[in-house]
Amino acid sequence: MNFELIMIGTGSAFPKHSYNSCYVIKSHGGLMLVDAGGGNGIFNAINESGIKLSEIHHIFITHTHTDHILGAVWLIRGIINMSKDGESCGSLHIYGNSSVCNALRLICQLTFLALDYGLFTKNVELVEISDESSLAINNTLIECFDVCSKNVVQTGFRMTFGCGEKLVCLGDESLTEDNLRKIQGCDTLICGAFCRYEDKDTYKPYEKHHHTVRDVAILAEKAKVKNLVLVHSEDDNLEKRQGLYKTEASKYYSGNVFIPVDGERLVF
Ligand SMILES: [Zn+2]
């Protein structure tokens, strides 16, 4: 195993039957949570995925939208409560661009009790990253970059494991012509695909600056990505989503396609 993707949630911003898209990357060095979803449902979602709150010491937040950042506020509260109860949970580092760090600071200041906000400033390290920042988390190199979102400043990253395998995360952005050159050489790509192209009139992805399975599959083929993991999708028909999306993707893409559901673990 080089790494494992543990899907905490796979839904879009307004999921009906799943949690917002967020996932844990587990490597030999440890765990990193990418995004936190939009609320206190994160506690149940991580529990269902077999992860304990006390195991999370690194959280990467891609952008400030509600469905990615607000779950982190709850996780911070959870960790503060554990420390108040005398439970040792270790340090918590949160990585995000300046908008993410400012938003977290402000939300915690405005919504926490003064005592809890004091504990937040003492126990949580906000690490501000920008386009082209490099980080070493769990002994793994992480190179950050702007994912060229038209919605909001959003930061993705390329993670290189000891064996040389490269994983690229684009947050909830899809693979587009704008960010295509940033994923060159990546083995596994995890990115957003809002719905099938066939269902674009129902879900209207382009109005929300999102893209379809077909759009991503065409570019992933061009970039010679080996493994394509699609998340941040509509969840009207979770039982059939995997089969339907795989069928559409395989018309344009010859690599391995993964359409996970919440709680699923993908081993690479
Ligand atoms: Zn989103």
Side-chain angles (χ1 to χ4, degrees):
M1 179 192 94
N2 294 316
F3 66 93
E4 189 176 11
L5 283 177
I6 304 169
M7 306 309 305
I8 309 297
T10 59
S12 62
F14 288 93
K16 294 176 190 160
H17 307 290
S18 56
Y19 189 61
N20 307 113
S21 281
C22 55
Y23 46 89
V24 163
I25 302 170
K26 183 178 180 183
S27 62
H28 296 296
L31 308 181
M32 181 172 83
L33 174 66
V34 181
D35 289 326
N40 59 7
I42 186 70
F43 294 120
N44 189 47
I46 60 168
N47 192 38
E48 293 275 306
S49 304
I51 293 168
K52 291 190 183 75
L53 185 56
S54 58
E55 290 180 279
I56 298 174
H57 302 294
H58 302 279
I59 306 176
F60 191 105
I61 304 289
T62 57
H63 64 292
T64 53
H65 283 170
T66 51
D67 56 314
H68 297 262
I69 199 171
L70 292 184
V73 176
W74 285 99
L75 290 176
I76 293 166
R77 271 200 67 176
I79 281 164
I80 288 171
N81 284 348
M82 283 176 70
S83 72
K84 280 160 77 176
D85 292 343
E87 292 177 54
S88 167
C89 46
S91 55
L92 178 63
H93 311 274
I94 301 182
Y95 311 87
N97 58 43
S98 60
S99 305
V100 165
C101 291
N102 289 337
L104 278 176
R105 236 179 249 115
L106 188 61
I107 296 167
C108 293
Q109 188 175 19
L110 294 176
T111 61
F112 285 6
L113 296 172
L115 171 67
D116 290 356
Y117 183 69
L119 290 169
F120 160 69
T121 57
K122 271 194 206 126
N123 296 320
V124 179
E125 186 193 14
L126 289 179
V127 181
E128 194 170 310
I129 46 134
S130 58
D131 196 14
E132 299 185 359
S133 293
S134 285
L135 302 164
I137 301 174
N138 298 329
N139 299 319
T140 304
L141 171 67
I142 295 182
E143 297 162 284
C144 306
F145 59 86
D146 188 322
V147 302
C148 309
S149 169
K150 294 204 164 43
N151 271 324
V152 64
V153 178
Q154 181 164 183
T155 312
F157 59 88
R158 182 184 306 101
M159 202 162 179
T160 306
F161 299 95
C163 53
E165 281 280 307
K166 285 183 173 25
L167 164 71
V168 172
C169 301
L170 293 178
D172 73 359
E173 185 68 22
S174 294
L175 181 58
T176 63
E177 290 287 357
D178 291 336
N179 59 36
L180 187 60
R181 69 178 176 81
K182 303 196 178 189
I183 71 138
Q184 293 304 325
C186 108
D187 301 290
T188 302
L189 173 68
I190 179 163
C191 72
F194 200 75
C195 63
R196 292 188 303 165
Y197 182 77
E198 202 178 317
D199 298 325
K200 67 183 184 313
D201 295 333
T202 306
Y203 297 109
K204 302 181 173 40
Y206 303 115
E207 283 179 16
K208 305 172 188 79
H209 297 294
H210 286 311
H211 296 81
T212 68
V213 174
R214 186 193 80 154
D215 303 328
V216 177
I218 290 169
L219 293 175
E221 180 69 19
K222 202 168 158 181
K224 299 187 173 63
V225 170
K226 281 196 299 196
N227 304 306
L228 179 61
V229 184
L230 299 178
V231 294
H232 206 273
S233 310
E234 54 77 24
D235 61 358
D236 275 342
N237 194 343
L238 271 178
E239 285 76 35
K240 291 190 178 164
R241 185 172 72 181
Q242 185 179 70
L244 294 170
Y245 281 29
K246 276 191 173 183
T247 302
E248 180 165 298
S250 63
K251 287 181 194 161
Y252 309 96
Y253 173 68
S254 57
N256 305 312
V257 184
F258 300 87
I259 314 292
V261 291
D262 292 16
E264 197 167 333
R265 288 173 175 242
L266 306 175
V267 179
F268 295 95

